[in-house]
Amino acid sequence: MTGKLITLEGGEGAGKSTVLDTVRAALVAHGVEVVVTREPGGTPAGEAIRAVLLDPRLRGMSAETELLLMFAARAQLVREVIRPALAAGRWVLSDRFTDASYAYQGGGRGQPATRIAALEAWAADGVRPDLTLLLDLPVVEGLRRANGRGEADRIEMENAQFFERVRDAYRARAAAEPGRFRVIDAGRPLAEVLAQVQGAIAEFLARGGVPA
Ligand code: T5A
């Protein structure tokens, strides 16, 4: 028996962390055993890499270094957490995964999609989500929410144009894979966002946990 991988994606301040408990609760209520993780991070090595990636003192980091560090953390997460959990029949719920690299390092930084795809096949061992909830909202609103949390990390220090490219890249990926993605209108009041999320999970479970 193999489990399923569900990922939460979106720009800064989209509300991924806020909706995560609702997703987990919906899966547990369905009798699913869930492992929750996040990217970059989710393992001791990955969390150490995350600290480097988000350190605001490291603003000179090259796009190539950033991309490789994202996949270094992901390589560890796949082998230490995701693969073993799926093999044991558990479901994995991850706050971000490889789509974030296509959006941020691809759309935001201009790294070629072919390069990211090669890393996805090698470092991420070809692991792909079964369902991805994309929390989409205008960049200005997301940054307003994120800024309310205090000091910006290295990536949050980018300008609005960067985050517009990130959003465009996410939306393009969702349009290209409508069977895997569910786009959530994250600009709505929280109760409405949670209702959309619950609907998407219920639909996925009703399909037996396979992409549409
Ligand atoms: N990254 C990551 C890459 O560049 N490439 C990669 O491959 C990966 C994996 C860290 C950074 O790394 C980058 C992307 C990021 O810049 P992260 O840990 O996911 O990734 O980022 P965080 O800063 O932790 O999280 P986000 O900025 O993405 O925020 P969330 O989790 O989406 O938003 P959340 O839930 O904390 O909500 C933000 C605020 O809005 C409120 C919440 O209460 C909170 O105060 N809020 C709402 N307010 C009104 N209405 C609603 N519907 C609301 N929903 C939430």
Side-chain angles (χ1 to χ4, degrees), residues 120-142:
E120 181 178 22
W122 169 60
D125 199 22
V127 171
R128 305 200 79 220
D130 297 284
L131 173 69
T132 298
L133 303 183
L134 173 58
L135 276 68
D136 180 61
L137 84 172
V139 167
V140 172
E141 172 61 11

Side-chain angles (χ1 to χ4, degrees), residues 10-19 38-40 50 54 66 70 74 95-98 100-101 104-105 141 145-146 149 153 155-156 186 188-190 193:
E12 305 300 303
K16 295 175 289 81
S17 310
T18 304
V19 307
R38 70 167 181 179
E39 282 211 327
R50 177 187 178 94
L54 300 185
E66 183 180 277
M70 291 293 176
R74 185 164 297 132
D95 187 341
R96 296 195 191 277
F97 195 58
T98 307
S101 291
Y104 282 78
Q105 285 66 56
E141 172 61 11
R145 291 184 191 173
R149 291 180 309 203
D153 64 39
I155 295 175
E156 286 169 349
R188 307 297 302 164
L190 184 56
V193 172

